[in-house]
Amino acid sequence: MPIYNKLVRDRIPYIIKEKGKRAKVSILTEKSYFDELRKKAKEELDEYLNAETNEAALEELADLLEIMNGLVKLHSSSMEEVEAIRKRKAEDLGAFEDRVFLIEVEDLD
């Protein structure tokens, strides 16, 4: 019997039941949920970094976005606020579209 001990999407227990199996689950406290979402973000980022196709990469990016939605709510915010911050930073500092790679900075005094 596999032991997972990890945060899963809400419908996973129902999908397991539909397959004729039983899932043992618990509902996390807000603190534990926050900790597990952060772990899940690392897991999904690693999966993205190891994706070998565009399709697989997009699947992992979608998972990361879902995790971001959860984290944003825990920070009492919204994806709209995150997007506004992203836009402000892009206006103030630029985005990453020009592929600028900083090598070093030299003091001129």
Side-chain angles (χ1 to χ4, degrees):
M1 176 172 67
I3 297 175
Y4 294 93
N5 287 326
K6 69 178 190 173
L7 182 66
V8 296
R9 289 176 176 265
D10 301 339
R11 290 195 24 81
I12 296 301
Y14 302 106
I15 293 168
I16 291 169
K17 186 177 181 182
E18 287 174 355
K19 292 182 178 183
K21 298 179 180 183
R22 182 181 9 230
K24 182 177 179 182
V25 301
S26 67
I27 303 302
L28 299 171
T29 64
E30 189 168 309
K31 169 73 171 107
S32 294
Y33 176 53
F34 178 70
D35 293 343
E36 292 301 319
L37 270 176
R38 290 171 54 116
K39 283 185 203 173
K40 194 72 172 178
K42 287 181 182 179
E43 174 189 323
E44 296 299 340
L45 180 57
D46 285 342
E47 290 176 6
Y48 166 75
L49 293 173
N50 291 308
E52 295 185 1
T53 65
N54 283 336
E55 182 180 350
L58 292 173
E59 288 285 329
E60 300 310 330
L61 288 171
D63 289 343
L64 281 166
L65 189 57
E66 190 64 41
I67 290 163
M68 281 187 62
N69 274 300
L71 288 167
V72 164
K73 289 176 187 173
L74 286 174
H75 287 287
S76 301
S77 189
S78 67
M79 290 300 285
E80 291 79 15
E81 184 174 356
V82 171
E83 177 62 10
I85 294 167
R86 185 201 67 77
K87 284 181 179 178
R88 177 183 47 79
K89 290 181 83 170
E91 288 172 11
D92 294 347
L93 304 170
F96 295 98
E97 294 174 4
D98 292 340
R99 303 177 187 180
V100 177
F101 186 79
L102 182 63
I103 298 167
E104 67 180 42
V105 175
E106 180 181 343
D107 264 339
L108 297 178
D109 9 350

